[in-house]
Amino acid sequence: MEISGFLSAIVIGIVIGVLGRLVVPGRQRIGVLWTILVGIVAALVGAAIAAAFGVADTKGVDWIEWLIQIGLAALGVAALDRFKDSGRSRSHR
């Protein structure tokens, strides 16, 4: 992976992660780095899913691909928040 590809993955990860976090109601107790990592993974997996269904490259904005990526980021943020919260509640017993 070239440096420009790495930087664009981080930028896309930030955008997708933040949008995914906005979709999840309530306060999430995960940090910025976790949000970016979830966003990067969601962007990559979402792009692969969109390509598999043939909706990755359309005329204009690829809305379906974006929706898949944001949905995956929201699921990732919610799952990570729940996982971190369950670990916190077990340690306070």
Side-chain angles (χ1 to χ4, degrees), residues 23-91:
V23 172
V24 177
R27 182 174 183 263
Q28 297 85 38
R29 291 170 290 287
I30 64 171
V32 174
L33 289 178
W34 282 113
T35 301
I36 293 170
L37 288 174
V38 166
I40 291 170
V41 171
L44 293 173
V45 173
I49 291 171
F53 284 107
V55 294
D57 293 318
T58 59
K59 293 182 181 180
V61 178
D62 298 326
W63 293 109
I64 297 172
E65 182 177 6
W66 274 89
L67 289 173
I68 292 169
Q69 292 170 329
I70 294 168
L72 288 173
L75 287 172
V77 165
L80 187 58
D81 183 52
R82 177 165 278 168
F83 176 75
K84 289 183 84 106
D85 190 41
S86 69
R88 184 176 294 124
S89 63
R90 273 189 257 146
S91 66

